[in-house]
Amino acid sequence: MPCGGIGAACLPPQDAAPVRLTQPSQEIPIAEQQVLFWDEATRRDRFSHMEDYFAGLEVSPAPQPHRFLPGDGLPREVSDAIAAYMRESGAVGIMVVKDNNVRYASRSDDFDRQTRWTSFSVAKSFTSTLLGAAIADGAIDSLDDPVTKYVPALAGSVYDPVTVRQVATMTSGVKWNENYTDPDSDVARMLATPPRPGEDQSVTYMRTLEREAPPGSKFVYKTGETNLLGIIVENATGRKLADYAYDKIAAPAGFADPMFWMVDLSGRNIGGCCLSLTLEDYARFGQFALEGGEGVVPDGWFAEAGAASVKLDGDRFGYGYQWWTYEGRSFGAQGIFGQSVTIVPEADLVVAIVGNWPTATSGDLARKRSELVARIAASVIDE
């Protein structure tokens, strides 16, 4: 089997159900394994079957899938606005769920109900949920514990004074470059850096970083820190993220199809990125968060995790525990190239979008997406 590159480690077989190791079936040159720099046609093809190119763990669907109910359609002008956004943004699927009723669902012609699509940083909110589960299980004592309590290999690094909470809110004060267009950025180099023998790949890279601000004083978005959060959860629970996610997300949320979660060169699931789900299962994750994750996370976890620990842009939005926060009590998961799951509690609403923006980030398309979700919510909130 081909090996090498981001997430394509050759690992020993894993037989334990309901999670199994998968290896890539198609070899791509090392130079082409930097996902950030694929052209639009390549992204459009590969985002729907990342498991063919990268190693990962596949999680079985729930024994009892959650069933959404059919619902009335949205007002014509709102449906037209969604269709226009899909055309403009390159979205391949959008689903709107209100009161557990599917009010709108549309997919591109080659994106069917069983097709999975990569998440990018939507995975961060999954890792956050597993953090909450580990706290509920007593595996993690407190968000205010030092990171080094759970990742001793970081002792002696800039992470010595940093807490789990500061990693969860990306306020560690550690210097980081998340520029998706720069091949020398930290986010581009992190998973291309081989791990030191016996060390986690992300730890190998994060140990090289420097401090730019006191812990807790500055927000800087860092995918590497969500990878660390995943390592914290794995070390605390003694389980792979994907394995833990079966018990804490896939089964209780009622996923109907298998989930794929990429691994790095040290065999860890990549906490900050790269799981793949069907459109319906992204919506099921949103519904699970909307309903509070009873019995899985501490009471009130999603209200706390989805609240602005960090306020940005004059309080218009912010960042919680690996969730973006919006006006009102809305919050959501976001990934580059247009992936998102938005939860609007006051409207009992979930909007899941998977897509292929022309660029990794776009202020214009992000604004239009926010406006679209607000328009959808306004159309159903007073029903």
Side-chain angles (χ1 to χ4, degrees), residues 77-78 80-82 369-380:
E77 63 274 14
V78 178
D80 288 347
I82 297 174
R369 178 176 60 192
S370 296
E371 291 172 349
L372 178 65
V373 172
R375 186 171 182 180
I376 293 168
S379 75
V380 300

Side-chain angles (χ1 to χ4, degrees), residues 154-178:
L154 286 172
S157 75
V158 290
Y159 283 94
D160 264 335
V162 175
T163 66
V164 175
R165 186 188 305 274
Q166 288 161 350
V167 168
T169 57
M170 300 201 186
T171 57
S172 67
V174 173
K175 188 176 181 180
W176 181 265
N177 179 356
E178 187 87 4

Side-chain angles (χ1 to χ4, degrees), residues 21-82:
L21 173 71
T22 68
Q23 293 283 9
S25 61
Q26 300 185 43
E27 187 167 12
I28 54 177
I30 296 293
E32 293 184 23
Q33 292 180 1
Q34 277 286 7
V35 176
L36 294 172
F37 306 107
W38 287 349
D39 61 35
E40 187 169 354
T42 301
R43 295 196 307 269
R44 182 65 184 82
D45 172 47
R46 293 178 180 172
F47 282 3
S48 62
H49 53 114
M50 296 288 273
E51 64 276 12
D52 288 345
Y53 303 99
F54 303 109
L57 297 175
E58 186 168 87
V59 181
S60 298
Q64 296 182 325
H66 177 81
R67 300 298 180 190
F68 291 125
L69 302 175
D72 295 335
L74 297 171
R76 176 63 179 273
E77 63 274 14
V78 178
S79 296
D80 288 347
I82 297 174

Side-chain angles (χ1 to χ4, degrees), residues 163-331:
T163 66
V164 175
R165 186 188 305 274
Q166 288 161 350
V167 168
T169 57
M170 300 201 186
T171 57
S172 67
V174 173
K175 188 176 181 180
W176 181 265
N177 179 356
E178 187 87 4
N179 186 337
Y180 302 112
T181 65
D182 180 2
D184 291 324
S185 66
D186 293 303
V187 72
R189 293 167 53 203
M190 171 179 53
L191 294 182
T193 300
R196 297 197 307 186
E199 191 169 74
D200 294 307
Q201 186 176 16
S202 292
V203 170
T204 292
Y205 190 82
M206 305 302 275
R207 284 183 60 86
T208 69
L209 300 179
E210 300 176 352
R211 175 164 301 287
E212 66 174 349
S217 67
K218 183 177 181 179
F219 170 82
V220 176
Y221 188 79
K222 309 179 191 70
T223 293
E225 292 201 332
T226 319
N227 293 356
L228 289 183
L229 201 63
I231 294 170
I232 289 168
V233 171
E234 287 198 354
N235 286 353
T237 62
R239 299 176 67 180
K240 297 285 190 183
L241 289 182
D243 179 51
Y244 200 45
Y246 175 80
D247 287 344
K248 303 302 181 179
I249 298 176
F255 285 2
D257 295 287
M259 177 178 74
F260 170 78
W261 201 336
M262 285 168 55
V263 295
D264 65 16
L265 293 176
S266 52
R268 293 276 194 183
N269 282 121
I270 302 170
C273 181
C274 308
L275 56 81
S276 296
L277 291 173
T278 62
L279 177 63
E280 282 83 355
D281 283 345
Y282 281 118
R284 288 183 176 96
F285 175 61
Q287 188 70 25
F288 177 70
L290 175 67
E291 294 176 0
E294 184 178 357
V296 172
V297 294
D299 290 345
W301 173 261
F302 286 107
E304 179 180 344
S309 295
V310 176
K311 295 183 178 181
L312 305 167
D313 195 20
D315 296 353
R316 287 183 57 250
F317 66 99
Y319 202 71
Y321 306 157
Q322 307 288 302
W323 291 91
W324 292 97
T325 69
Y326 315 119
E327 292 180 289
R329 294 188 298 115
S330 301
F331 60 101

